[in-house]
Structures are given as structure tokens and as C-alpha cells.
Amino acid sequence: MSEISNVPVDREEKGDQLQGAGRRRFLKTAGGVSLGALLGMSVPFARNMPSGIMPVALAEDMDVLAGKDGLTLLNDRPVNAETPPHLLDDAITPTNRHFIRNNGLPPEEMDADSWTLTIDGLVEKPMTLSIADLKKKFPVHTMALTIECGGNGRAAFDPPAKGNQWTLGAVACSNWTGVRLRDVLEAAGVQDGVVYTAHEGADSHLSGDPDKLPISRGLPIAKAMSDNILIAFEMNGEPLHPMNGAPLRLVVPGWPGSCSQKWLKRIYLRDIVHDGPKMTGTAYRVPNRPVAPGEKVDKKDFVIIERMPVKSLITYPATGAETKDRAIEIRGHAWSGDRLVDHVEVSFDFGATWQRAELDLPVNVGAWQNWRATIQLPQAGYYEVWARAVDDAGEGQPHAIKWNPKGYLNNSMHRVAVKVV
Ligand SMILES: Nc1nc2c(c(=O)[nH]1)N[C@H]1C(S)=C(S)[C@@H](COP(=O)(O)O)O[C@H]1N2
Ligand SMILES: [Mo]
């Protein structure tokens, strides 16, 4: 059995244009979007523009992807960029492959030495702590924690749902170092009657209105007391990446990524369900019952998303891979919010038969689980490899998307094409 190239074939063909700086790759992966649309005005000589050159006017915006490798930019204001599945092959996601999901504009100041976090609201002892205080006063933990955006997979919705058209790559599992949210809340003293946390970051609203926050989410207080929620100041052993919330953020595994407030400045405790921006209306909410694709749903029938559903990803080989070998290794990750994945199965005959993959336990609670399987393809031709995970509550991945108006929680099976030549 030999390793097959984990680069999609269409990229291999365009290889020389795509190698090198992410900037040069940009124009290709922006696929289908014209230069004019990117620049917001017509470009009379657009057809003379050599392939692979970055327009100077865009070069500045592209710095948002500095320190990232191979991410697909879905939007540049606010910045949203996802990672193609074959670049998520590492057991622990390196920082340069961690997706970015911003709702507003990141703060200009991200200085770790002067940064403070305030804990107030319904606590016995309100406090303001520096990052040095956090390190000194509380035990420091390192954990691998999975963050998945609630809208991951939205691009597959039909009828389409508005919002970032994430395909598969708004998920990652990096190593995070920080202190437990629980330890900090206990030190501040949770008052009786607290029902929810509320989180605030230092980013600003796209409108420029200084009185508006782009997003402020919270957690039920019982969830906030979990062992594996961190107030993190390191990502993969280094200070946080600016786009992933430097210098301080929450990491709440297994729940929508929006709970993991970046550029964290304040946590306050409330005696009502938090009603900050993107906590109300239909944001990060789904209907309280199955609905038909396209169905109109009354606002009052939406509920806040809590745990993310069971899901798996095939990270090797890349879809479109060609191989001469008929025995190939398939591998990827699987996760289920607040639960363990019990087993992962793969099929290469469009779901007629399934083969169990070898599945690792998570390195800690809240990390995704790595899996692998060797499959034997019978003859030359086109195959699809499908993967499905089932968690310890018996919940599995559906074939079809469970449609909802805002395009959340798509955990339908991942499929990759493999050609035996
Ligand atoms: N302050 C702040 N925190 C935020 C966001 C944001 O826009 N501002 N986006 C949230 C959303 S919707 C997600 S999915 C995660 C993404 O984390 P990442 O950008 O590090 O991948 O951050 C969350 N935390
Ligand atoms: Mo998100």
C-alpha cells in the first residue's frame, strides 16, 4: 500500500499557479468571483491581469490570512475563512489550519501584558484580572478542544440559507492552554439565582457604532461549570493567533463555536437567559421540531442551539484523489458535542455495505476522535468513500440534511471521490 497524493487533482494540474504565497492562491480559490466583484467596482482591463497576481488594493485585506495556510476566504468583511478537509488531517489542528469566523472587526490592540478580564454581574466579588493574574491565581490546563461553527455545512442547504457558505471546514481541534472558567467563576462567587453567563469581546461592530457589540453569547450556568471550558491564552503552545482571539478567549468544546468568545474582556452573570447580540431572534437557533425544506417557521418556535450533533470528517484522501493502488487508507476525525463517538463506519459502495474503522478515544473530554480504515477497492473505476459516526447515545449521521431556516447543524455524511486508475 502506498501513500497517494493528498492534493485534489484539479489543484495538482494547476500546481505551479497555486504554489507559494497564499496571496497568489487567493484569486483561484475565490473561484467564480470576478475581480470586479472582489474590488467592488468594474476593472476595465481585468482580462489583461496576469493569472496569480494579487491586486494591490486587496493585498492589505489579505494580511488577515497571515499565519494561515491554505484556508478558503469566504468573506473579508467580516473575515471568514474555512479549511479544506484534506488540510485538517493532523490529529491536533495546527494554528495555521484553524478556521476563522468573525462577526465584526477585530480589536486593534491585542496586547497580552495590558489585557484585562472583568468578572462581574451576579457574583460575590467582582474582579478584574490580568493574564498574569489568571496564570498566578488558578491552575493552568492544556487540552485539545473541538470548536465547530454552528453554521458549518450551510453551503449544502437547499433552499439555501443566508450567511457564510461554510462547506465542511469550520471545525478544528487545537491544543488550548488556559484556566478553567469554572475556577474563575467559583473564585468570584456565583450568587443564588444565576442562570446564564454573558460574554463580551473587544471586537467592534461592522457599522462602526461603538455602542454595539458584534456578538455577545452566553452559557447556562451548569454548562459553564464544566471541567473542559477554558479561558485560554495559548494555542498550540504559543500566544493566540490574532484572528483566533488574541490574547484571551473562551474555548467551549462541543457547543456552537459562537459560545467561545474571542478577544475576551468581560464575563458577567445574569439571572435571565442572556439576551446579547446573536443570542436572540433566530441567531444560533433552530426550530423546536423537524421542518420541511423551505418551511416558514414562527420566531417563537426557535430554540437556542446547545450541543453540536454527531459528525465525522474524511481528511485523507482528498476528494478527487487518483490512485493505482486498490488498498488505501482512509482517515479522519469524529466528534459529538458532550458525548463520546461510539463507532465510525466507511462505505465505498454507496452505502450498501459498511466497514468499521479503527477509532481512538479522545485525548481528553472535548477533543475530537481520530479514526482510520484500510479499504480494498475491487477494480479500476470511480468510487465514493462515505463515512458515518454513531455516538454513545445511539445518534448517527443522516444522509440528507435536516433542513432549518438559518442553515445550522448540518451533520450529513461526508463523501469523497476516489478514482482507481
Ligand atoms: N468576540 C468574538 N468572539 C467570537 C466571534 C466573534 O465574531 N467575535 N465569533 C464566534 C464564532 S460564530 C465562532 S464559530 C468562533 C470561531 O472561532 P475561530 O475564529 O477561532 O475559529 O468564534 C466565536 N467567538
Ligand atoms: Mo460560528
Side-chain angles (χ1 to χ4, degrees):
M1 198 174 91
S2 62
E3 286 271 299
I4 53 178
S5 163
N6 199 24
V7 175
V9 171
D10 61 340
R11 293 201 185 189
E12 237 161 18
E13 282 163 2
K14 293 176 197 152
D16 41 273
Q17 284 161 21
L18 292 174
Q19 306 239 310
R23 292 186 177 198
R24 288 200 297 153
R25 177 165 20 223
F26 177 71
L27 290 178
K28 293 293 169 191
T29 52
V33 181
S34 72
L35 209 52
L38 285 170
L39 291 166
M41 65 184 70
S42 84
V43 183
F45 295 115
R47 70 197 151 90
N48 298 341
M49 183 86 170
S51 157
I53 284 189
M54 186 74 200
V56 174
L58 280 180
E60 202 179 313
D61 292 339
M62 286 304 295
D63 284 336
V64 297
L65 291 187
K68 296 288 175 182
D69 178 34
L71 270 58
T72 308
L73 193 64
L74 300 179
N75 188 1
D76 65 354
R77 196 189 148 86
V79 175
N80 287 282
E82 69 171 333
T83 313
H86 70 284
L87 297 183
L88 286 171
D89 195 38
D90 299 87
I92 297 294
T93 310
T95 302
N96 64 2
R97 300 272 163 83
H98 198 291
F99 74 102
I100 304 170
R101 197 290 186 243
N102 292 349
N103 287 268
L105 304 172
E108 292 189 354
E109 266 311 320
M110 301 186 197
D111 179 34
D113 295 331
S114 56
W115 198 266
T116 57
L117 170 65
T118 296
I119 312 289
D120 61 357
L122 300 177
V123 294
E124 306 299 340
K125 283 173 285 171
M127 43 195 204
T128 293
L129 302 154
S130 67
I131 294 178
D133 292 336
L134 287 172
K135 291 180 184 172
K136 199 167 59 203
K137 291 198 160 103
F138 304 100
V140 172
H141 301 273
T142 297
M143 289 179 227
L145 301 171
T146 307
I147 302 181
E148 182 181 19
C149 180
N152 195 21
R154 178 180 290 130
F157 272 61
D158 182 24
K162 277 195 208 125
N164 284 295
Q165 296 299 299
W166 305 109
T167 63
L168 296 144
V171 63
C173 181
S174 291
N175 263 324
W176 298 94
T177 300
V179 300
R180 286 191 170 124
L181 172 62
R182 186 187 62 202
D183 291 346
V184 175
L185 294 182
E186 278 174 356
V190 178
Q191 288 185 14
D192 286 348
V194 167
V195 299
Y196 237 79
T197 63
H199 318 147
E200 289 182 358
D203 46 342
S204 50
H205 196 268
L206 287 179
S207 64
D209 182 342
D211 298 326
K212 268 191 183 170
L213 290 172
I215 185 168
S216 170
R217 306 253 318 153
L219 294 169
I221 189 67
K223 173 67 185 172
M225 293 307 203
S226 309
D227 277 352
N228 60 0
I229 297 178
L230 292 181
I231 300 174
F233 38 76
E234 271 180 31
M235 180 178 191
N236 297 317
E238 289 180 350
L240 305 192
H241 184 281
M243 290 295 144
N244 300 117
L248 195 67
R249 76 174 298 173
L250 271 173
V251 183
V252 182
W255 283 41
S258 52
C259 298
S260 296
Q261 197 84 27
K262 302 193 281 188
W263 308 293
L264 184 68
K265 288 298 295 174
R266 180 182 178 215
I267 297 172
Y268 58 106
L269 301 189
R270 307 195 62 176
D271 58 5
I272 55 163
V273 174
H274 182 45
D275 55 359
K278 307 222 171 170
M279 275 300 305
T280 58
T282 57
Y284 301 104
R285 290 184 189 221
V286 288
N288 56 10
R289 57 187 148 84
V291 298
E295 193 179 322
K296 289 259 177 299
V297 182
D298 201 285
K299 262 197 186 162
K300 69 171 177 22
D301 294 339
F302 280 79
V303 291
I304 299 172
I305 299 169
E306 298 197 331
R307 57 172 288 277
M308 293 293 289
V310 61
K311 197 161 171 181
S312 59
L313 193 64
I314 302 168
T315 59
Y316 182 91
T319 193
E322 279 183 13
T323 171
K324 290 195 174 67
D325 231 310
R326 294 186 198 165
I328 58 168
E329 182 174 279
I330 311 294
R331 57 179 183 253
H333 318 292
W335 61 94
S336 184
D338 297 345
R339 295 181 189 165
L340 274 183
V341 174
D342 180 77
H343 59 273
V344 172
E345 297 171 314
V346 295
S347 174
F348 52 84
D349 56 9
F350 303 108
T353 61
W354 293 87
Q355 178 183 326
R356 282 237 176 168
E358 180 187 62
L359 175 68
D360 298 342
L361 285 170
V363 290
N364 52 252
V365 177
W368 64 20
Q369 293 168 247
N370 303 303
W371 58 266
R372 64 209 66 79
T374 300
I375 59 167
Q376 186 74 43
L377 300 171
Q379 62 191 77
Y382 172 88
Y383 296 89
E384 283 188 13
V385 178
W386 298 359
R388 69 177 183 200
V390 176
D391 68 23
D392 63 1
E395 190 193 333
Q397 293 183 249
H399 218 309
I401 294 167
K402 293 178 198 149
W403 192 91
N404 58 79
K406 301 288 299 257
Y408 295 121
L409 308 184
N410 177 8
N411 67 335
S412 56
M413 284 180 238
H414 185 200
R415 300 156 51 193
V416 301
V418 176
K419 296 166 197 160
V420 179
V421 290

Short mmCIF file of all heavy atoms in Angstrom, two decimals, residues 48-79:
data_model
loop_
_atom_site.label_atom_id
_atom_site.label_comp_id
_atom_site.label_asym_id
_atom_site.label_seq_id
_atom_site.Cartn_x
_atom_site.Cartn_y
_atom_site.Cartn_z
N ASN A 48 -6.55 41.52 -18.88
CA ASN A 48 -5.08 41.58 -19.05
C ASN A 48 -4.34 41.18 -17.78
O ASN A 48 -3.12 41.02 -17.80
CB ASN A 48 -4.63 43.00 -19.42
CG ASN A 48 -5.22 43.43 -20.74
OD1 ASN A 48 -5.65 42.60 -21.54
ND2 ASN A 48 -5.25 44.73 -20.97
N MET A 49 -5.06 41.10 -16.68
CA MET A 49 -4.41 40.84 -15.39
C MET A 49 -3.80 39.44 -15.42
O MET A 49 -4.49 38.45 -15.61
CB MET A 49 -5.49 40.91 -14.30
CG MET A 49 -4.97 40.73 -12.92
SD MET A 49 -4.39 42.29 -12.26
CE MET A 49 -4.13 41.83 -10.56
N PRO A 50 -2.48 39.35 -15.25
CA PRO A 50 -1.87 38.02 -15.28
C PRO A 50 -2.44 37.14 -14.17
O PRO A 50 -2.71 37.62 -13.07
CB PRO A 50 -0.37 38.30 -15.03
CG PRO A 50 -0.19 39.75 -15.28
CD PRO A 50 -1.50 40.41 -14.97
N SER A 51 -2.62 35.87 -14.49
CA SER A 51 -3.16 34.94 -13.51
C SER A 51 -2.21 34.81 -12.33
O SER A 51 -1.00 34.76 -12.50
CB SER A 51 -3.36 33.59 -14.21
OG SER A 51 -3.37 32.56 -13.28
N GLY A 52 -2.74 34.80 -11.14
CA GLY A 52 -1.90 34.58 -9.97
C GLY A 52 -1.31 35.84 -9.38
O GLY A 52 -0.55 35.78 -8.43
N ILE A 53 -1.67 37.01 -9.91
CA ILE A 53 -1.17 38.26 -9.31
C ILE A 53 -2.28 38.85 -8.43
O ILE A 53 -3.44 38.83 -8.79
CB ILE A 53 -0.76 39.29 -10.39
CG1 ILE A 53 0.58 38.88 -10.98
CG2 ILE A 53 -0.64 40.69 -9.79
CD1 ILE A 53 1.18 39.92 -11.88
N MET A 54 -1.85 39.35 -7.28
CA MET A 54 -2.80 39.90 -6.32
C MET A 54 -3.02 41.37 -6.62
O MET A 54 -2.05 42.12 -6.69
CB MET A 54 -2.12 39.75 -4.95
CG MET A 54 -2.98 40.12 -3.81
SD MET A 54 -4.18 38.83 -3.57
CE MET A 54 -5.35 39.77 -2.63
N PRO A 55 -4.26 41.84 -6.79
CA PRO A 55 -4.45 43.29 -6.97
C PRO A 55 -3.91 44.02 -5.73
O PRO A 55 -4.19 43.60 -4.61
CB PRO A 55 -5.96 43.47 -7.07
CG PRO A 55 -6.53 42.11 -7.26
CD PRO A 55 -5.53 41.12 -6.75
N VAL A 56 -3.18 45.08 -5.96
CA VAL A 56 -2.57 45.81 -4.84
C VAL A 56 -3.64 46.23 -3.82
O VAL A 56 -3.43 46.14 -2.62
CB VAL A 56 -1.82 47.06 -5.36
CG1 VAL A 56 -1.31 47.89 -4.21
CG2 VAL A 56 -0.66 46.61 -6.25
N ALA A 57 -4.79 46.65 -4.32
CA ALA A 57 -5.84 47.14 -3.41
C ALA A 57 -6.34 46.06 -2.47
O ALA A 57 -6.90 46.36 -1.42
CB ALA A 57 -7.02 47.70 -4.23
N LEU A 58 -6.16 44.82 -2.83
CA LEU A 58 -6.62 43.73 -1.97
C LEU A 58 -5.53 43.20 -1.06
O LEU A 58 -5.81 42.53 -0.08
CB LEU A 58 -7.14 42.55 -2.82
CG LEU A 58 -8.54 42.68 -3.39
CD1 LEU A 58 -8.87 41.43 -4.20
CD2 LEU A 58 -9.57 42.88 -2.29
N ALA A 59 -4.29 43.53 -1.40
CA ALA A 59 -3.16 42.94 -0.67
C ALA A 59 -3.28 43.21 0.82
O ALA A 59 -2.99 42.35 1.64
CB ALA A 59 -1.85 43.48 -1.22
N GLU A 60 -3.77 44.40 1.18
CA GLU A 60 -3.87 44.77 2.58
C GLU A 60 -4.85 43.87 3.31
O GLU A 60 -4.58 43.34 4.37
CB GLU A 60 -4.35 46.22 2.65
CG GLU A 60 -4.01 46.91 3.93
CD GLU A 60 -4.51 48.33 3.90
OE1 GLU A 60 -4.28 49.02 2.88
OE2 GLU A 60 -5.15 48.73 4.87
N ASP A 61 -6.03 43.67 2.68
CA ASP A 61 -7.03 42.80 3.29
C ASP A 61 -6.48 41.40 3.51
O ASP A 61 -6.85 40.71 4.43
CB ASP A 61 -8.27 42.68 2.39
CG ASP A 61 -9.02 43.99 2.32
OD1 ASP A 61 -8.82 44.81 3.24
OD2 ASP A 61 -9.77 44.19 1.36
N MET A 62 -5.62 40.97 2.59
CA MET A 62 -5.15 39.60 2.65
C MET A 62 -4.29 39.34 3.87
O MET A 62 -4.07 38.21 4.24
CB MET A 62 -4.39 39.24 1.39
CG MET A 62 -5.29 39.03 0.19
SD MET A 62 -6.54 37.78 0.53
CE MET A 62 -5.49 36.35 0.72
N ASP A 63 -3.78 40.40 4.49
CA ASP A 63 -2.98 40.19 5.70
C ASP A 63 -3.79 39.48 6.78
O ASP A 63 -3.22 38.90 7.69
CB ASP A 63 -2.44 41.51 6.24
CG ASP A 63 -1.26 41.96 5.39
OD1 ASP A 63 -0.63 41.11 4.75
OD2 ASP A 63 -1.00 43.17 5.36
N VAL A 64 -5.11 39.49 6.67
CA VAL A 64 -5.93 38.79 7.65
C VAL A 64 -5.64 37.30 7.63
O VAL A 64 -5.88 36.61 8.61
CB VAL A 64 -7.44 39.02 7.44
CG1 VAL A 64 -7.78 40.48 7.61
CG2 VAL A 64 -7.91 38.48 6.10
N LEU A 65 -5.14 36.80 6.53
CA LEU A 65 -4.82 35.37 6.47
C LEU A 65 -3.33 35.12 6.73
O LEU A 65 -2.85 34.01 6.51
CB LEU A 65 -5.26 34.77 5.14
CG LEU A 65 -6.78 34.67 4.93
CD1 LEU A 65 -7.10 33.92 3.65
CD2 LEU A 65 -7.47 34.01 6.11
N ALA A 66 -2.62 36.14 7.21
CA ALA A 66 -1.21 35.93 7.57
C ALA A 66 -1.15 34.88 8.67
O ALA A 66 -1.98 34.87 9.58
CB ALA A 66 -0.60 37.24 8.06
N GLY A 67 -0.20 33.97 8.56
CA GLY A 67 -0.08 32.91 9.56
C GLY A 67 -1.07 31.78 9.37
O GLY A 67 -1.18 30.88 10.19
N LYS A 68 -1.83 31.83 8.28
CA LYS A 68 -2.76 30.74 7.95
C LYS A 68 -2.29 30.12 6.65
O LYS A 68 -1.64 30.78 5.83
CB LYS A 68 -4.19 31.29 7.79
CG LYS A 68 -4.76 31.88 9.08
CD LYS A 68 -5.11 30.79 10.08
CE LYS A 68 -5.57 31.36 11.42
NZ LYS A 68 -5.86 30.30 12.40
N ASP A 69 -2.63 28.87 6.44
CA ASP A 69 -2.12 28.17 5.26
C ASP A 69 -3.22 27.39 4.56
O ASP A 69 -3.76 26.44 5.12
CB ASP A 69 -0.99 27.22 5.68
CG ASP A 69 -0.46 26.43 4.49
OD1 ASP A 69 -0.43 26.99 3.38
OD2 ASP A 69 -0.10 25.26 4.68
N GLY A 70 -3.57 27.83 3.36
CA GLY A 70 -4.50 27.06 2.55
C GLY A 70 -5.97 27.26 2.88
O GLY A 70 -6.82 26.53 2.38
N LEU A 71 -6.28 28.24 3.73
CA LEU A 71 -7.68 28.48 4.06
C LEU A 71 -8.41 29.13 2.89
O LEU A 71 -7.81 29.88 2.11
CB LEU A 71 -7.81 29.39 5.31
CG LEU A 71 -7.85 28.66 6.66
CD1 LEU A 71 -6.64 27.81 6.89
CD2 LEU A 71 -8.06 29.63 7.80
N THR A 72 -9.69 28.85 2.77
CA THR A 72 -10.52 29.45 1.73
C THR A 72 -11.25 30.65 2.34
O THR A 72 -11.99 30.49 3.32
CB THR A 72 -11.57 28.43 1.23
OG1 THR A 72 -10.89 27.23 0.88
CG2 THR A 72 -12.34 28.97 0.04
N LEU A 73 -11.01 31.83 1.77
CA LEU A 73 -11.65 33.03 2.29
C LEU A 73 -13.09 33.07 1.78
O LEU A 73 -13.32 33.09 0.58
CB LEU A 73 -10.86 34.25 1.82
CG LEU A 73 -11.16 35.57 2.49
CD1 LEU A 73 -10.79 35.55 3.97
CD2 LEU A 73 -10.40 36.71 1.79
N LEU A 74 -14.06 33.08 2.68
CA LEU A 74 -15.47 33.14 2.27
C LEU A 74 -15.98 34.57 2.28
O LEU A 74 -16.93 34.90 1.59
CB LEU A 74 -16.35 32.30 3.20
CG LEU A 74 -16.03 30.80 3.30
CD1 LEU A 74 -16.98 30.12 4.27
CD2 LEU A 74 -16.13 30.14 1.93
N ASN A 75 -15.38 35.39 3.12
CA ASN A 75 -15.82 36.77 3.25
C ASN A 75 -14.64 37.54 3.86
O ASN A 75 -13.92 36.99 4.69
CB ASN A 75 -17.04 36.83 4.19
CG ASN A 75 -17.69 38.20 4.23
OD1 ASN A 75 -17.26 39.14 3.56
ND2 ASN A 75 -18.73 38.32 5.03
N ASP A 76 -14.44 38.78 3.42
CA ASP A 76 -13.31 39.52 4.02
C ASP A 76 -13.77 40.63 4.95
O ASP A 76 -12.95 41.26 5.61
CB ASP A 76 -12.35 40.04 2.93
CG ASP A 76 -12.98 41.07 2.02
OD1 ASP A 76 -14.20 41.31 2.15
OD2 ASP A 76 -12.26 41.62 1.18
N ARG A 77 -15.08 40.89 5.04
CA ARG A 77 -15.58 41.88 5.98
C ARG A 77 -16.94 41.46 6.47
O ARG A 77 -17.90 41.73 5.78
CB ARG A 77 -15.63 43.26 5.30
CG ARG A 77 -15.76 44.42 6.27
CD ARG A 77 -16.04 45.71 5.54
NE ARG A 77 -16.86 46.59 6.34
CZ ARG A 77 -16.38 47.43 7.26
NH1 ARG A 77 -15.09 47.52 7.44
NH2 ARG A 77 -17.20 48.17 7.96
N PRO A 78 -17.08 40.80 7.58
CA PRO A 78 -16.00 40.35 8.46
C PRO A 78 -15.26 39.16 7.85
O PRO A 78 -15.77 38.51 6.94
CB PRO A 78 -16.76 39.90 9.71
CG PRO A 78 -18.09 39.44 9.22
CD PRO A 78 -18.41 40.36 8.05
N VAL A 79 -14.06 38.90 8.38
CA VAL A 79 -13.25 37.81 7.86
C VAL A 79 -13.84 36.46 8.26
O VAL A 79 -14.12 36.22 9.44
CB VAL A 79 -11.80 37.92 8.40
CG1 VAL A 79 -10.98 36.71 7.95
CG2 VAL A 79 -11.16 39.20 7.93
#
